[in-house]
Amino acid sequence: MLSALAPGLPVLLAGRAVSGAGAALTVPATMSVLLHATPADRKAGAVAAWSASLAVGGMAGNACGSLILQYLPWQGLFWAYLPLGLGLLWWVARAAPRVPRGTARLDLPGSALLVLGAGALLFGIIEGPGLGWSSATVLGAFALALAAGALFVRHGLRAAHPVLDPRLFRLPRLRAGAAGLAVTFFGMFALFYVNAQFLQYVKGYSPLQTGWAIVPLAAGMMAVTRLGMRWAQRIGAARTSGTGLALITVGLLLLSTADAGTPYLLYLPYLLVMAAGAGLAMPTLSHAVVTSVPPHQAGMGSGLQGAARELGAALGIAVVGTALSVRFASATGHGARLPDRGGCGAGRGRGGDVRAAHRAAALTSSPLEVAGSRSWT
């Protein structure tokens, strides 16, 4: 609601940050509740279904969001969430199983250090082209990120109930799973960001065409997700996730060859290669993380896989968005702004400051997911 009523960019960013915090508190809780309510022999299938729901959400968000932006002001995109959110709140209150509350307290110092470090890192990456990579502000942001990260680890080793115990990273499956998820979502969200710019500004698609053009990606992910868990049981999680990451890499390389003359029927198979890779990698890596931790730390495992996913997504948007803005500025000799194709600014995705756009997206990918998991540990 705050974003829908925003009179300008600062309030819009604040609204997106609040939304991101809410999502960060909700997403790890859904995984924790799911694992609590699922028998041990069906947990792998439950994780696969949970991963598939991400694809369904992405597909619905792209399709419905593009439809709204095509015919309504941009505020309609946020107003549409109000009845949807109220309906989901009512449904969850009636249908969700009751899970025993954890005894661990919320680790406010650890959460603050985690948010500070991630925020400083994203700020430095996003503002580097505009302020200069050697500027005091950008170097200070990176130094702050390093210092906050070091203090976070020190705090986690000493606190009785840390938001994230660094000792968990001694577990090889958890370490590999978290890193793999971060890399997967780095690539996927880098694609989402660039794809919208490419289809609208290079191919000349409308917002509606752009949103629906990427729907096959989510549909392909959903179709391959259950196959991924079956492969993991048959040939091993490492080989399955490795194959998935390799397919994502191949898909990104194929997509990098697309230009204004590339027909959509050729562009589509490139997207489907990435979809197959994500469908194989995501459930396998998520399952590796949440099943590596001891049962009494299940909430922390859920929060960790969510935080790895969101941090990878935020870094993907920030890094690729920064590269895109630098490339555009060097090609035009102007600032990092995309051409305005209708005077609507950021309202309909037809212009506006590139750095401001991906700053908003990065802020919504909040590192609070680990903090949110404490209620379920």
Side-chain angles (χ1 to χ4, degrees), residues 58-59 61-67 195-196 199-200 205-216:
M59 180 170 58
N62 274 281
C64 298
S66 64
L67 187 64
N195 182 75
L199 292 179
Q200 289 193 70
Y205 284 17
S206 67
L208 181 60
Q209 290 174 312
T210 299
W212 282 88
I214 204 171
V215 165

Side-chain angles (χ1 to χ4, degrees), residues 3-58:
S3 297
L5 296 173
L9 185 61
V11 179
L12 176 62
L13 293 178
R16 298 303 291 141
V18 172
S19 298
L25 295 173
T26 303
V27 173
T30 61
M31 174 67 84
S32 296
V33 172
L34 182 66
L35 294 176
H36 175 81
T38 304
D41 60 336
R42 299 180 62 185
K43 288 188 187 297
V47 173
W50 186 89
S51 298
S53 71
L54 296 180
V56 173

Side-chain angles (χ1 to χ4, degrees), residues 279-335:
L280 290 175
M282 282 171 37
T284 309
L285 294 169
S286 294
H287 185 258
V289 173
V290 298
T291 58
S292 294
V293 298
H296 68 280
Q297 291 182 310
M300 189 177 293
S302 300
L304 175 59
Q305 66 90 24
R309 190 180 65 247
E310 297 299 341
L311 184 59
L315 287 173
I317 294 169
V319 171
V320 176
T322 296
L324 182 63
S325 67
V326 171
R327 172 65 176 168
F328 185 82
S330 64
T332 61
H334 300 292

Side-chain angles (χ1 to χ4, degrees), residues 237-304:
R239 291 182 178 179
T240 302
S241 58
T243 301
L245 291 172
L247 286 173
I248 291 174
T249 302
V250 171
L252 287 172
L253 289 174
L254 290 172
L255 287 166
S256 70
T257 66
D259 56 27
T262 303
Y264 180 73
L265 290 181
L266 180 58
Y267 192 72
L268 177 59
Y270 300 166
L271 290 177
L272 293 179
V273 171
M274 282 203 65
L280 290 175
M282 282 171 37
T284 309
L285 294 169
S286 294
H287 185 258
V289 173
V290 298
T291 58
S292 294
V293 298
H296 68 280
Q297 291 182 310
M300 189 177 293
S302 300
L304 175 59

Side-chain angles (χ1 to χ4, degrees), residues 28 44 100-101 119 155 181 192 201 210-211 229 260-261 285 293 295 315-316 336 346 369:
R101 290 180 176 270
H155 171 79
L181 280 172
F192 293 157
Y201 300 119
T210 299
M229 293 309 301
L285 294 169
V293 298
L315 287 173
E369 285 212 20

Side-chain angles (χ1 to χ4, degrees), residues 158-178:
R158 296 187 175 190
H161 300 287
V163 63
L164 176 62
D165 189 345
R167 286 174 285 262
L168 288 176
F169 285 96
R170 294 175 180 171
L171 303 172
R173 291 184 72 241
L174 181 141
R175 188 169 60 243

